[in-house]
Amino acid sequence: MHPLHELTLTDLRRRTSIKWTMHDPDVIPMFVAEMDVPLAEPVARALSDAVTRGDTGYPQPRVYAEALADFAADRWGWTGLDPARTLAVADVMVGIEEVLRLTGAADVPVIVNPPVYQPFFDAVGHVGRPLVEVPLGDDGRLDLGALAATFAQRPGATYLMCSPHNPTAVVHTAEELGTVARLAHEHRVRVVVDEIHAPLAPTSGRDVFVPYLSVDGTDDAYAVLSASKAFNLAGAKAAVVAGGAATADEIASVPEIVSHGPSHLGTLAHVAALTDGRPWLDALRADIAENRALLGDLAAEHLPRAGFLAGPGTYTAWLDLRPYALGADPAAVLLERARVALASGLAFGGSSGVGDGRARLTYATPPDVLRDVFGRLGAVLD
């Protein structure tokens, strides 16, 4: 089983998602975190069976939380995910917005670490809270010293963290997360963690994924999780907000209408993925690891002056193209000249400028497509 080897570019161009319809047909799209894989067979079967039954009514949200708790215990050794302290939401960003409303009034700042997933900025603005940027270090990791100083300056703030981090794919260590929890407790900072890429991260070794709520001192924190990135289910809406031991009353205060966001088909798909799709996920993670190695070789060959971060946490790479003097937005230049669509680094950098001259590339694609992409980039940048 090799999910990333099963489709051709011709197959992929038959798709109608935004990835394959935003640009002209000669463009290879690498800008969105959507994988070029077929559906895992258990997921396809669950959806097909539901349609055959006419099972397209309202969802039963608790089954997703229960499947996620079982997955978390099996993959991460985390037995503390209590379905009674969860909230069903349409997707991770909807869940994050709901939790931002719970964890601070309109004048309480939200701290983020650019470069970071671009909808974080929109979400904070949408709930009407001020934004504070604490950029990552040059190695793509959390700058714990800067976080400590910012927490001390803004006691009672909310910290919105991405784990594993998007776009650098860095997996935060248990020590880093423990430091965050200690600092948050000391300065009364509420922590909200986007863990959507977690199922793709290593389950052993140096870069093992650690759920934030499994760390001591996180009783008032929240994590928002979904199977969507690991199983390519962005169009099948469903996600779960999980809270620490002290969050039950807050979760209970969320209007019931919020739990109507996930679709029934989405819930069925995510439950099938987490329950029966684990062998497929293991095969996918192996393919992604091979692509990550190929990415390094191709970058050395075709973009020798570029810097890049591509940690093991997911399938995104953060490219530093400033040595090629393409201006603040190299993605726009490369779309025009190379006919490759990357995600603009400007959207990830906020006002801090750490996105200038950078771009994100999604490499969960067949190896031949990845070779074509770097061949095109290299021909322009040589």
Side-chain angles (χ1 to χ4, degrees):
M1 189 189 311
H2 288 282
L4 282 177
H5 294 251
E6 296 181 26
L7 300 175
T8 66
L9 198 53
T10 300
D11 297 328
L12 293 165
R13 291 199 187 280
R14 297 191 183 103
R15 294 184 168 180
T16 59
S17 67
I18 192 171
K19 177 175 183 177
W20 294 99
T21 56
M22 175 175 281
H23 299 290
D24 293 335
D26 64 323
V27 172
I28 301 181
M30 309 293 284
F31 66 98
V32 67
E34 178 180 319
M35 298 189 292
D36 299 335
V37 294
L39 274 181
E41 192 277 332
V43 175
R45 184 173 66 248
L47 292 172
S48 176
D49 289 351
V51 171
T52 299
R53 293 191 303 268
D55 189 5
T56 54
Y58 293 104
Q60 181 8 307
R62 189 178 178 91
V63 297
Y64 191 172
E66 291 169 346
L68 183 60
D70 184 75
F71 181 91
D74 175 58
R75 290 298 167 112
W76 307 321
W78 177 32
T79 58
L81 199 166
D82 182 356
R85 291 197 308 273
T86 62
L87 175 69
V89 289
D91 58 34
V92 164
M93 290 312 303
V94 169
I96 285 172
E97 288 198 10
E98 290 299 329
V99 175
L100 290 180
R101 293 185 178 97
L102 292 176
T103 57
D107 60 344
V108 176
V110 178
I111 300 162
V112 300
N113 304 124
V116 72
Y117 184 48
Q118 63 271 37
F120 275 23
F121 302 100
D122 292 338
V124 175
H126 190 227
V127 299
R129 294 180 60 179
L131 183 76
V132 175
E133 299 179 12
V134 181
L136 300 174
D138 291 338
D139 58 358
R141 307 201 73 90
L142 300 176
D143 186 336
L144 295 172
L147 275 178
T150 303
F151 285 12
Q153 293 163 2
R154 295 170 175 84
T158 297
Y159 174 39
L160 177 55
M161 180 167 57
C162 196
S163 178
H165 196 86
N166 174 9
T168 64
V170 162
V171 182
H172 307 309
T173 66
E175 291 75 19
E176 288 170 328
L177 296 176
T179 299
V180 168
R182 177 180 57 78
L183 292 170
H185 177 74
E186 180 180 347
H187 299 292
R188 297 179 289 106
V189 169
R190 302 293 298 276
V191 180
V192 181
V193 189
D194 171 358
E195 296 184 337
I196 195 171
H197 292 272
L200 293 161
T203 55
S204 62
R206 183 187 64 180
D207 293 301
V208 63
F209 171 73
V210 177
Y212 184 70
L213 296 183
S214 71
V215 175
D216 288 343
T218 60
D219 285 356
D220 66 347
Y222 288 94
V224 193
L225 305 100
S226 175
S228 63
K229 292 304 180 191
F231 291 90
N232 220 39
L233 297 172
K237 292 290 188 179
V240 173
V241 173
T247 64
D249 289 345
E250 283 183 338
I251 289 175
S253 74
V254 176
E256 193 231 349
I257 189 66
V258 172
S259 69
H260 296 185
S263 73
H264 183 44
L265 291 178
T267 300
L268 293 176
H270 287 236
V271 169
L274 294 170
T275 303
D276 300 318
R278 297 175 201 181
W280 183 91
L281 177 60
D282 290 337
L284 171 69
R285 290 167 61 228
D287 283 354
I288 290 173
E290 290 180 1
N291 266 19
R292 189 176 304 117
L294 176 62
L295 177 74
D297 293 340
L298 292 171
E301 178 182 358
H302 296 287
L303 308 179
R305 287 187 282 156
F308 78 95
L309 295 169
T314 187
Y315 45 74
T316 61
W318 183 240
L319 305 178
D320 183 353
L321 298 167
R322 288 176 297 171
Y324 291 98
L326 299 176
D329 189 9
V333 176
L334 293 171
L335 175 60
E336 179 66 26
R337 297 182 186 174
R339 309 307 285 164
V340 171
L342 304 175
S344 171
L346 297 178
F348 295 80
S351 63
S352 63
V354 295
D356 293 8
R358 281 92 159 183
R360 189 190 73 172
L361 178 147
T362 298
Y363 60 89
T365 193
D368 285 345
V369 175
L370 197 58
R371 292 185 183 96
D372 190 355
V373 164
F374 274 86
R376 293 183 182 204
L377 296 176
V380 168
L381 297 178
D382 186 5

